[in-house]
Amino acid sequence: GINAEYGVMVMIGTVAICCANVLCLEKIMKEAPNSSALVLIVNYILIIGETLLRSPSTLTSPSVPLSNYLIITLLNFSHSLLNNMALAYNVDMPTVLIIRAGSILANMAVSIVAFR
């Protein structure tokens, strides 16, 4: 089984990688403010490529219809793109992160209320 130490290491690693990602994104946005769409597209392409390499059966026998995945992916992409566009207006990264975290909490609250 998974022990508590391993779980803590995974959480610390996840937070560290997220922080590194945020710092890199902020640096890229300062150097090239209009590159948020390109960064996001490359990110999605890398994730899709890794998913297909790790489990190629995702396309041949999906447990959820691909049309549902496409809708969710497009909604997530547009949400991320709009968030990244805020960086072009010199909004501080901590402010963007607080807004993103707030939207996650709001989504969780709406989901709890809607699915009771």
Side-chain angles (χ1 to χ4, degrees):
I2 297 176
N3 61 21
E5 288 178 12
Y6 179 74
V8 170
M9 287 176 51
V10 167
M11 285 191 280
I12 291 172
T14 302
V15 169
I17 290 170
C18 285
C19 289
N21 185 24
V22 167
L23 292 173
C24 288
L25 180 62
E26 186 174 24
K27 179 73 173 162
I28 290 169
M29 293 298 111
K30 284 189 191 291
E31 295 291 324
N34 295 325
S35 64
S36 66
L38 178 63
V39 170
L40 196 59
I41 290 169
V42 170
N43 187 16
Y44 271 77
I45 289 171
L46 290 173
I47 290 171
I48 290 168
E50 182 179 350
T51 301
L52 292 176
L53 285 174
R54 288 181 184 261
S55 57
S57 65
T58 303
L59 286 178
T60 57
S61 59
S63 57
V64 175
L66 290 178
S67 60
N68 290 356
Y69 277 127
L70 182 63
I71 291 168
I72 291 170
T73 302
L74 289 174
L75 288 171
N76 187 296
F77 180 81
S78 61
H79 177 256
S80 295
L81 185 62
L82 290 172
N83 277 330
N84 288 349
M85 288 172 67
L87 297 173
Y89 294 102
N90 295 323
V91 177
D92 290 336
M93 185 57 79
T95 305
V96 172
L97 290 176
I98 290 168
I99 291 169
R100 284 183 181 180
S103 70
I104 291 170
L105 292 174
N107 285 335
M108 288 173 59
V110 168
S111 296
I112 290 170
V113 171
F115 294 113
R116 276 197 171 179

